[in-house]
Structure formats: structure tokens, C-alpha cells
Amino acid sequence: MSGIVIYLPPGNGGTGGAEPGEGAVTLRLGPGEVARFGRGSATTPVELRLVDAAISRLAGEIRVTDDHWQLSNLSATQSYLVENPEGAGEYLRVPPRRAGAPIPFEFSRVVLPTRRDTTVSFQVFAPDHVYLDPDGLGGAGGQWGGRTVTAYSLDETATYFLVLLALCEPRLRDESPVAVPTTPQIVDRLRGHPACGRLTARAVSSHIDYLAEEKMRVAPPSEQDPDRAARRNGKRESIVGLALRFGLVREEHLALLPPRNGIRRDEPTGGGNGARPGRHLGK
């Protein structure tokens, strides 16, 4: 398993012993690793520093296992919420002093209360979900006794899949001369989707990085290339090439995208399903 990625939006804190900054923060944890979060201090070190006087010096802990992650709430008084931004309002409430609560979502937003009119939150991209080999269901594991896992585990109801689909759309529609869409073009393309009305360019870039580094594990563009735009475009080209070669996105998936101007919803030949309805997992 590839571990998890923790993303703290700009202006909410920093890492380690550094002073909180205005930039975004990204932490990567492998199986067995732990990250503590809170306001921190010289005597209470934390890996993820959060800026608000209502947050404890040591507010909580994230621990990574092989196939999920756990959240411990170290506050004596405050509950935390873990939301599923990709679903239909699902969330978990982690009460004070709860240790090792398993989080089932592949993409989560951890929300901490404050005394301001806004909350403090950070996002967690979880390990790939493991799926059984369909040929081995109900069997004894086969002659070799091993478990087959999915090479590219993609959730077709997730926002990152919509981003991937928007990247691949021109070539799926046989518009081969068209370049891979840019970040602003993807934001504009997905704006009509109910789940993407507030999607930002920064969020799209994060989803592309997640696809490249965690989901599809494409080789990074050469860091020797001084042209940053060329490196970004190379990453997108690699993602699109791999997705199309292995059929990770297909023409029928185009039905998941909002209609393009001048194109009816029923024009694509596919019959892909929309996002599956979810349910609340806690109160």
C-alpha cells in the first residue's frame, strides 16, 4: 500500500517546529507511521500545526495501517468530524478521547471546531481500497494461496475520477489534435457537475498529483527540465496515456460529465452510472 497524503490548505498552519505560514502543507505517511496534529509548542511537538486558540496543543493523532487510517481524538472536550466530500453527506463524529477510530473513506476532510465563524480542516487521501479477484470469490484462494488486488484502484464516484475523465475527454471523443486540457479548462468543464460547483484550480492540481503519484504511479517528469509548465503537461500526458491504454476511462464514462455546450447528454454512446447515493454514518 502507498500510505496516505495529508493536505492542509493555505493559511491554516504549518509543519513540525516551523512557524505557521500562508502556504499549503502536504505530508506523506507510509503504513505504520504516525502524525500528530494540534497547535503544538516547544514541549509538545506536532507534525501538523493548526492555527486557532480553541485547538489543543496536542489535538489528535493519525495512524496509517496497510489498508486504512485511524484517527485518535486527544481532546478532553471537543468532538471532531470526518466528512466524505465525495459522497452525499456522509460523516463520522469522533468524540473526545476516542482512540484509533478507523476511517472508511478514501478521501476525507477532518474538521475541528473553533471560536471563529469558520472551522479548521485538512484533507486526507487514504490508501487504495483493496478489491477481491472476481474469479476467486467464494473459493479457497487458488492453488498458490495468494490474493489478487486491483492494479489501478479507481473510484468512479470520486471527484478525482471526474478530473481524470475531463483530462481524457478530448481523446475519448476522438479529438486527437486537441491538447490535454489545462487546469482552468478542467475547472470550467466540471463547473456544471453538482459535486464540482466550488471546485478550485488548486483542488484540481491536488487531484492530478494524487492520480499521478498515488493512484496511477506514473513516472514523474524530469526535474532537470527547467520549464515548470512542461513538467506539468508531461505529468498530464502520462496520466492520459496510461488511462487510455489500460481502459481505465472509456467512452461510456462520458455520461458522468455535465453536458458540453451544444452537446446533448445522450450523444455519448456510453451508459455510465452517476454517483451512487450515500448515507450518514454518524451523528
Side-chain angles (χ1 to χ4, degrees):
M1 294 301 164
S2 55
I4 69 171
V5 176
I6 303 172
Y7 173 77
L8 181 67
N12 287 283
T15 58
E19 288 297 319
E22 292 298 320
V25 171
T26 301
L27 293 179
R28 299 179 185 277
L29 302 178
E33 294 186 321
V34 174
R36 295 161 297 181
F37 59 89
R39 281 164 51 221
S41 69
T43 58
T44 309
V46 294
E47 285 69 39
L48 192 66
R49 293 190 64 185
L50 305 177
V51 180
D52 192 272
I55 296 175
S56 304
R57 295 286 183 184
L58 183 57
E61 178 182 275
I62 289 172
R63 181 178 299 274
V64 185
T65 72
D66 281 342
D67 57 4
H68 70 283
W69 61 280
Q70 300 170 347
L71 177 66
S72 293
N73 182 351
L74 304 181
S75 170
T77 58
Q78 302 280 12
S79 292
Y80 304 151
L81 294 182
V82 183
E83 302 173 340
N84 177 14
E86 311 283 60
E90 300 100 329
Y91 65 89
L92 294 172
R93 178 179 292 134
V94 182
R97 302 180 302 280
R98 173 69 161 92
I103 308 302
F105 309 132
E106 189 174 9
F107 176 39
S108 305
R109 181 187 295 116
V110 180
V111 183
L112 284 71
T114 71
R115 296 191 66 179
R116 299 176 292 168
D117 57 355
T118 59
T119 56
V120 169
S121 65
F122 56 88
Q123 299 161 3
V124 180
F125 294 86
D128 289 348
H129 289 181
V130 175
Y131 295 89
L132 297 175
D133 182 357
D135 295 333
L137 291 178
Q143 178 182 358
W144 304 107
R147 180 178 60 178
T148 302
V149 298
T150 304
Y152 301 109
S153 176
L154 300 178
D155 181 356
E156 295 181 8
T157 70
T159 301
Y160 68 73
F161 189 82
L162 292 173
V163 171
L164 174 62
L165 189 53
L167 281 171
C168 298
E169 181 182 23
R171 296 184 187 179
L172 284 172
R173 294 190 187 277
D174 200 22
E175 299 169 355
S176 51
V178 179
V180 174
T182 64
T183 294
Q185 288 172 332
I186 292 174
V187 172
D188 185 64
R189 180 67 184 93
L190 297 179
R191 185 171 292 122
H193 193 283
C196 301
R198 295 188 293 176
L199 190 68
T200 64
R202 185 183 295 275
V204 167
S205 295
S206 295
H207 283 300
I208 291 173
D209 288 343
Y210 181 58
L211 283 164
E213 298 167 15
E214 305 297 331
K215 285 296 185 180
M216 302 171 72
R217 302 175 296 282
V218 300
S222 173
E223 293 298 329
Q224 304 303 317
D225 190 338
D227 188 342
R228 185 177 179 183
R231 292 202 303 270
R232 287 199 302 264
N233 192 59
K235 179 186 294 185
R236 294 161 188 265
E237 289 279 359
S238 298
I239 290 172
V240 170
L242 188 149
L244 294 178
R245 283 198 305 273
F246 284 96
L248 305 180
V249 292
R250 300 177 298 278
E251 188 176 355
E252 59 262 31
H253 288 129
L254 292 173
L256 298 173
L257 293 173
R260 296 197 300 182
N261 292 336
I263 295 181
R264 301 190 312 273
R265 167 68 79 175
D266 58 353
E267 280 195 20
T269 60
N273 295 325
R276 296 188 295 270
R279 59 186 179 88
H280 288 281
L281 300 181
K283 295 184 177 180

